[in-house]
Amino acid sequence: MPTVEFRGERIDCEAGAALRDVLLDAGLSPHNRTSEWVNCRGHATCGTCAVEVRGEVSEMNADERRRLSLPPHSLDSGLRLSCQTEVRGDVRVVKHRGFWGQTVERDERREPTAAER
């Protein structure tokens, strides 16, 4: 049974469960502030449930790829939509700042991208 680690909590879930549902069922939210109430409810259209995920999860599907290719997101951010991401094994989840969770802090050890300069 996979375990999801998020904001200091550890949640056991069924393999194949949507990450957004796992978090919400545990009383945790993949959304920031107002986006908890203003979101698409898991249809991959708003992008407010974007999170950083480390671990074994499903490949990105077409709906997720389409939404993450639109501003303020970008496909190279490394973020995933929790509503479209299926948990396949143990994962660690981080929610970043911003309405969409899009403000990923730049790692000082790597070269900044053109957009960050």
Side-chain angles (χ1 to χ4, degrees), residues 71-90:
H73 294 296
S74 70
L75 285 173
D76 65 352
S77 70
L79 298 179
R80 297 290 306 269
L81 296 183
S82 65
C83 67
Q84 300 299 302
T85 303
E86 293 179 3
V87 179
R88 301 281 171 85
D90 294 346

Side-chain angles (χ1 to χ4, degrees), residues 42-83:
H43 297 285
T45 57
C46 72
T48 61
C49 69
V51 292
E52 179 181 336
V53 181
R54 300 280 182 230
E56 194 176 342
V57 295
S58 59
E59 294 293 320
M60 194 177 291
N61 66 31
D63 290 337
E64 182 179 18
R65 187 176 312 288
R66 184 174 22 262
R67 179 56 192 100
L68 290 175
S69 68
L70 299 171
H73 294 296
S74 70
L75 285 173
D76 65 352
S77 70
L79 298 179
R80 297 290 306 269
L81 296 183
S82 65
C83 67

Side-chain angles (χ1 to χ4, degrees), residues 25-42:
D25 288 348
L28 302 168
S29 178
H31 302 95
N32 288 338
R33 298 188 190 132
T34 305
S35 69
E36 286 189 43
W37 297 278
V38 181
N39 65 73
C40 69
R41 307 291 185 246

